[in-house]
Amino acid sequence: MREKELRLVVTFHTTADAMAMEKACRTMEIPGRLIPVPRSISAGCGLAWCAPLTAEEDIRAVMEARGIGPEGLYECMVRM
């Protein structure tokens, strides 16, 4: 079984925002992936971007540059 790791989890109001985040991060080579929203978090669209904590500054910059509005940013334990 995979171990849980402390990760940055970004939730979104819409699936379109989640997909835009995935595309932007892939283009800019920022690590992470889309995951189902963890049970400990409640979010609108059910998808979240999961990334290493060290990528938070880059992720915030991408969201600001692309006009992607997060519902929330969390640090939580996620199976990787």
Side-chain angles (χ1 to χ4, degrees):
M1 181 175 267
R2 296 177 293 187
E3 294 293 320
K4 286 187 175 184
E5 296 177 21
L6 187 61
R7 308 287 281 190
L8 177 68
V9 176
V10 183
T11 59
F12 305 95
H13 294 285
T14 67
T15 302
D17 282 341
M19 301 302 286
M21 182 67 170
E22 180 180 42
K23 183 177 180 180
C25 287
R26 296 263 183 259
T27 300
M28 302 195 66
E29 298 182 1
I30 296 171
R33 66 186 177 108
L34 283 177
I35 63 168
V37 174
R39 291 180 190 166
S40 60
I41 301 172
S42 176
C45 80
L47 292 174
W49 185 254
C50 180
L53 294 176
T54 57
E56 182 174 357
E57 188 175 311
D58 292 335
I59 287 171
R60 287 182 182 274
V62 166
M63 289 189 295
E64 186 174 330
R66 300 285 175 105
I68 300 169
E71 184 175 12
L73 279 85
Y74 306 90
E75 290 182 11
C76 64
M77 298 297 284
V78 177
R79 289 196 197 283
M80 294 306 298

